[in-house]
Amino acid sequence: MTRFEPADVRSWGNVLQAEHHAAFPAWRDQLPRIVLSGRQEGRALLATGLRRSYGDNGLNPEGGLIDMAGLDRIISFDPQRRLVRVEAGLSFDALLGVIVRQGSFLPVTPGTRFVTMGGAVANDVHGKNHHINGTIGRWVRRIGLMRSNGEELELTLESDPQLFSATIGGLGLTGAITWVELEVLPNESAVMDAENIPFDNLDMFFSLAAESDNAFDYTVSWIDCLAKGASLGRGIFTRGNHAKTGSRLPGRGNTKFTMPLSLPRLCMNRYSISAFNSLYFRNGKRKAGRQNIPIYQFFYPLDSIGRWNRMYGSKGMYQFQSVVPPAVEKDATKEMLKTISASGQGSFLAVLKTFGAVASPGMLSFPRPGTTLALDFPNHGETTLRLMARLDDIVLEAGGRLYPAKDGRMSARMFKAGYPAWQDFAKYVDSGFSSHFWKRVSQE
Amino acid sequence: MRVIILGATSAIASAAARLYAAEGASLLLVGRDENRLAQAAADLKARGAEAAEVAISDLGDPVDVEQRLDAFVRQLGGVDHVLLAYGILGNQGEAERDLADAETILRVNFNSAAAWCLATANIIEKQGRGTLAVIGSVAGDRGRRANFIYGASKAGLEALVVGIAHRFADKGPRAVLIKPGPTMTPMTEGMNRKGALWAKPEQVAAIVHARAYRGGPVAYAPGFWRYIMLIIRNLPSAIFNRMEI
């Protein structure tokens, strides 16, 4: 129906906890009434999906949320033309279950399959194949967009280049994405031909990346962010391609265990994290080499623990993801890692990857050529914010930027410096839409 | 597997239809809203349904039920399961003041549903196999001031379906009533839906789907409601009448 009701809504990082009002449409024809009732009640709106964004770009406590998860239908799938059109609330998990067995795969996927199509487009997500395929926005052919006046637009890059580009990576601020038509790729099997290579320091990472990016569709590295000195930036480099043969059935998913409740914060200290990282590195060394692994295990290792964000306790966590340009990527990355390991505030999941030069149509798209570093920090309040502010300075000086999908606290100054197109983008923001994130970063 | 879904745009029916689609079933989706039925049919076909046809019909109107059901069966080329999933909650307070409202709740949830059940029973009895699966409600287990008109209609439906199951005992066909507890569907929008007792439509649909294939004539969804309702039904009135439930 079309009412807004109190709802328990949190983003994945769990730092900001605020009461929300949400509407739960089950059919697209309910959306005009929802946006109009939002306007009547004076609520600025925001469409949300499965809320895997870490920070506050999916939150809108003073306005209203449109929970799109009930709009999860496949509108059409044409395996010959490789075009799939789906409602915005459909998850990648559900879509993969349909297309993989029919010989297709997503052109781009983030590290979890529990994201919706609308959310993936609104954040212009990237994956381990960014150096080949760019972001998902490059594969979007058509978008349905509900504006706050109740009108639904059909956008293509040709018909509405500006609004289309603002909507790709537009963080839901140009309206509610109602459906998306996406080009998918042919893929013969649900198996990956993968290789793990341990490396002992940051320089080795960069040479592995340079040597792998041409021959491998997918590359990514896990790093031990607490290692110091000669081992600074040690980790495990993973690269892979789709296997040419093997079963087309992706299996029933890889979620083996779901965190039943938040761990006490006591578990999250420098000793436990450092021990985990050392163990993980040694384990990775043991399992080095080439192997065939199931598709979900390759792309979505984190999905093997349901609600893994609860590991970080009730105060939640911040995620920090930056990209710095090629000219300074080695120095800036080294500087960030030094700062982190010296602080002792580490992360289980530090990820390093080189982005390619394939440009996205999105005005606010995050990826750009260079190196991206992603880590999460358990929320210890002021000390955590101070550490991230020091990392901000390194990114700013390097001429890099932060990823809004992961952010829960970047300053307006940081945002505007990283995204010089923001003023152009702001012209396409629908006045009836907003978010907690946008209120912060668009202020003077 | 050929399945007729009466009230196919309801949340529980939509989720159950996806389980059938994943098995490659042929589905006939019946309801009033042509546009929504077409959207559901396209989705189910993409998810693996052998066929997904639609039929537009006002199921709450208990007229010509046998002819209409015959036409559905012909359209689908036979039938194995019939899932009856439509119903209205109504507004208890208004229905107590305006008896026409009460009559509508009873007519849609009981009179018309009973007609579809009886017509289905005749068809599957004649062919010697098939399942009638009906969505009831825990509200039918004991009348409560908050919703006893709706509850009465669902209680009547239970007696009817259990009776049909009895009629089928030791024969091929089956009849089952699935009683969901509070579920996150459009029907319950506007209620305070926080708390652990609220189920998702997918959870209820999994039980509906499983029970259409096997099990006894009455199932609770989720299963823990069986124990909660056992207690509620057996509370002495002296205690029950003082409770705000």
Side-chain angles (χ1 to χ4, degrees), chain A residues 166-408:
Chain A
T167 300
I168 303 265
L171 307 171
L173 297 164
T174 61
I177 295 173
T178 52
W179 56 265
V180 173
E181 185 175 282
L182 188 77
E183 183 179 337
V184 294
L185 294 179
N187 168 45
E188 286 310 309
S189 85
V191 176
M192 297 299 292
D193 186 0
E195 184 176 10
N196 286 326
I197 307 167
F199 54 90
D200 293 327
N201 56 52
L202 209 51
D203 290 334
M204 286 176 73
F205 162 80
F206 282 108
S207 56
L208 271 168
E211 136 200 349
S212 306
D213 277 1
N214 286 325
F216 293 88
D217 287 348
Y218 301 95
T219 64
V220 72
S221 289
W222 169 86
I223 57 164
D224 175 356
C225 62
L226 289 178
K228 293 182 182 181
S231 302
L232 188 80
R234 70 175 180 179
I236 314 285
F237 193 94
T238 300
R239 58 192 191 183
N241 291 313
H242 290 277
K244 295 276 182 282
T245 55
S247 165
R248 270 189 180 180
L249 297 176
R252 297 198 59 181
N254 60 337
T255 307
K256 295 186 179 103
F257 170 76
T258 293
M259 289 292 291
L261 71 182
S262 294
L263 283 185
R265 230 150 44 97
L266 219 57
C267 301
M268 238 1 99
N269 55 48
R270 70 166 72 196
Y271 307 105
S272 64
I273 291 175
S274 163
F276 172 89
N277 277 280
S278 299
L279 253 171
Y280 193 94
F281 181 67
R282 262 180 269 145
N283 191 34
K285 264 192 155 165
R286 234 173 359 97
K287 289 191 186 159
R290 284 183 71 153
Q291 51 183 330
N292 280 331
I293 61 172
I295 211 161
Y296 285 176
Q297 199 182 317
F298 180 84
F299 285 102
Y300 312 113
L302 266 177
D303 289 343
S304 65
I305 305 171
R307 300 291 310 264
W308 62 263
N309 56 338
R310 288 179 171 168
M311 287 196 303
Y312 286 97
S314 55
K315 289 253 164 102
M317 53 140 162
Y318 288 101
Q319 168 107 177
F320 180 93
Q321 183 165 1
S322 60
V323 59
V324 289
V328 291
E329 63 188 358
K330 291 184 184 175
D331 292 341
T333 305
K334 193 170 278 180
E335 191 64 30
M336 283 192 274
L337 288 178
K338 272 187 188 161
T339 307
I340 293 158
S341 75
S343 80
Q345 295 193 61
S347 143
F348 292 126
L349 302 153
V351 172
L352 206 55
K353 154 136 190 90
T354 47
F355 282 149
V358 196
S360 165
M363 287 182 193
L364 286 195
S365 186
F366 163 69
R368 52 173 291 175
T371 296
T372 181
L373 171 67
L375 339 87
D376 32 53
F377 297 108
N379 176 18
H380 294 304
E382 205 44 50
T383 54
T384 309
L385 291 170
R386 262 204 307 274
L387 168 63
M388 286 194 286
R390 283 203 299 279
L391 298 176
D392 283 355
D393 290 340
I394 300 170
V395 173
L396 210 51
E397 195 179 335
R401 60 190 177 206
L402 303 182
Y403 190 10
K406 304 289 181 75
D407 179 66

Side-chain angles (χ1 to χ4, degrees), chain A residues 1 5 29 72 74 98, chain B residues 18 36 43 47 189 193:
Chain A
M1 277 204 314
E5 56 181 284
D29 58 44
D72 62 348
I74 299 170
V98 170
Chain B
R18 286 178 174 178
R36 291 181 180 182
D43 176 61
R47 287 172 189 258
E189 228 166 67
R193 304 199 282 186

Side-chain angles (χ1 to χ4, degrees), chain B residues 153-237:
Chain B
S153 69
K154 291 294 190 181
L157 202 53
E158 173 165 10
L160 186 97
V161 174
V162 170
I164 293 172
H166 194 198
R167 166 178 154 195
F168 289 160
D170 302 326
K171 296 182 193 163
R174 313 180 52 246
V176 289
L177 184 89
I178 298 93
K179 296 200 269 192
T183 307
M184 296 282 291
T185 67
M187 185 193 259
T188 56
E189 228 166 67
M191 296 184 181
N192 179 5
R193 304 199 282 186
K194 293 180 176 180
L197 294 180
W198 284 86
K200 292 195 172 132
E202 290 77 15
Q203 286 174 275
V204 174
I207 294 172
V208 171
H209 177 253
R211 286 302 179 116
Y213 284 98
R214 66 188 73 84
V218 173
Y220 287 87
F224 62 78
W225 281 102
R226 179 191 173 92
Y227 305 102
I228 296 178
M229 295 319 294
L230 183 73
I231 296 166
I232 302 268
R233 273 200 318 274
N234 288 295
L235 279 174
S237 297

Side-chain angles (χ1 to χ4, degrees), chain A residues 1-3 5 19 24 27-30 72-75 87 90 98, chain B residues 9 18 33 35-36 39-40 42-43 46-47 186 189-191 193-194:
Chain A
M1 277 204 314
T2 53
R3 264 184 291 217
E5 56 181 284
E19 181 83 0
F24 298 87
W27 302 92
R28 273 179 286 147
D29 58 44
Q30 296 168 323
D72 62 348
R73 290 176 197 88
I74 299 170
I75 298 169
E87 289 182 341
L90 185 77
V98 170
Chain B
T9 55
R18 286 178 174 178
D33 191 319
N35 192 19
R36 291 181 180 182
Q39 289 176 27
D43 176 61
R47 287 172 189 258
E189 228 166 67
M191 296 184 181
R193 304 199 282 186
K194 293 180 176 180

Side-chain angles (χ1 to χ4, degrees), chain A residues 20 96 147 239:
Chain A
H20 276 74
L96 285 166
R147 304 279 275 180
R239 58 192 191 183

